[in-house]
């Protein structure tokens, strides 16, 4: 995901850790109710934890699609991708608020998004966009 705000040159690859999931569910709900980037219902937040995606608010008119920056993935923590404190204390930090079956849940809850047809169309659109971008630089 890109967090470029113009203060410094943007990184080629930005890593984003979702440390919100280090909190218990009730604290995550409190965070979204009290932070300025709220506007999500409890159901929308619960759905994001069930399928491990960013919370999408109907209030803001956003929709899920196959863009990778909308979907989070669990990773194995290493010295190259996570702070030592997190790796050392993972057992204490882990709250299991993300459903273990999140990949299967995605397929069940969003069958249109994860259909073969939609995957093909999405990939073709990405290719066309990339080609346009490359052609515009010539």
């Amino acid at each position: 995901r890109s967090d470029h705000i113009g203060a410094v040159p943007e990184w080629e690859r930005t890593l984003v850790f979702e440390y919100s999931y280090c909190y218990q569910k009730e604290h995550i709900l409190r965070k979204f109710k009290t932070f300025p980037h709220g506007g999500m219902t409890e159901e929308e937040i619960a759905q994001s934890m069930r399928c491990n995606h960013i919370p999408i608010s109907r209030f803001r008119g956003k929709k899920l699609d196959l863009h990778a920056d909308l979907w989070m993935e669990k990773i194995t923590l290493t010295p190259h991708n996570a702070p030592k404190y997190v790796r050392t204390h993972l057992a204490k930090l882990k709250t299991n608020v993300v459903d273990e079956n999140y990949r299967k849940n995605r397929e069940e809850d969003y069958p249109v998004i994860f259909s073969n047809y939609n995957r093909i169309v999405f990939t073709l659109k990405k290719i066309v966009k990339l080609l346009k971008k490359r052609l515009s630089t010539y």
Side-chain angles (χ1 to χ4, degrees), residues 101-135:
N101 299 310
Y102 69 89
R103 286 190 184 100
K104 181 177 154 254
N105 296 341
R106 291 173 181 178
E107 302 273 341
E108 290 176 1
D109 295 1
Y110 305 107
V112 172
I113 292 175
F114 289 97
S115 69
N116 288 333
Y117 174 79
N118 192 50
R119 290 175 199 252
I120 291 167
V121 169
F122 184 79
T123 302
L124 290 173
K125 285 181 179 179
K126 278 179 39 177
I127 291 169
V128 168
K129 191 175 185 178
L130 180 64
L131 288 172
K132 282 183 177 180
K133 184 176 179 179
R134 287 195 178 171
L135 290 174

Side-chain angles (χ1 to χ4, degrees), residues 3-138:
D3 287 272
H4 182 58
I5 58 171
V8 295
E10 185 173 11
W11 287 10
E12 182 179 334
R13 293 185 183 105
T14 302
L15 289 176
V16 177
F17 288 91
E18 185 49 65
Y19 287 113
S20 298
Y21 290 158
C22 292
Y23 299 113
Q24 297 296 325
K25 182 178 178 180
E26 47 284 350
H27 296 161
I28 292 171
L29 294 173
R30 180 184 177 279
K31 173 189 167 192
F32 278 103
K33 285 179 184 175
T34 60
F35 273 47
H37 61 271
M40 281 67 119
T41 66
E42 283 192 28
E43 293 79 22
E44 290 167 335
I45 297 165
Q47 180 65 17
S48 71
M49 289 185 278
R50 176 176 155 73
C51 295
N52 202 19
H53 62 68
I54 66 165
I56 298 292
S57 170
R58 286 182 294 274
F59 174 73
R60 293 184 179 184
K62 290 188 174 186
K63 290 175 21 182
L64 283 171
D65 60 26
L66 289 174
H67 281 93
D69 58 349
L70 302 177
W71 304 93
M72 292 179 271
E73 295 293 337
K74 290 186 176 183
I75 61 168
T76 301
L77 302 183
T78 69
H80 299 288
N81 67 15
K84 183 177 180 180
Y85 180 86
V86 172
R87 295 188 325 270
T88 304
H89 297 85
L90 186 60
K92 285 194 288 186
L93 294 171
K94 199 169 184 174
T95 61
N96 298 311
V97 296
V98 174
D99 191 301
E100 285 297 318
N101 299 310
Y102 69 89
R103 286 190 184 100
K104 181 177 154 254
N105 296 341
R106 291 173 181 178
E107 302 273 341
E108 290 176 1
D109 295 1
Y110 305 107
V112 172
I113 292 175
F114 289 97
S115 69
N116 288 333
Y117 174 79
N118 192 50
R119 290 175 199 252
I120 291 167
V121 169
F122 184 79
T123 302
L124 290 173
K125 285 181 179 179
K126 278 179 39 177
I127 291 169
V128 168
K129 191 175 185 178
L130 180 64
L131 288 172
K132 282 183 177 180
K133 184 176 179 179
R134 287 195 178 171
L135 290 174
S136 70
T137 60
Y138 290 114

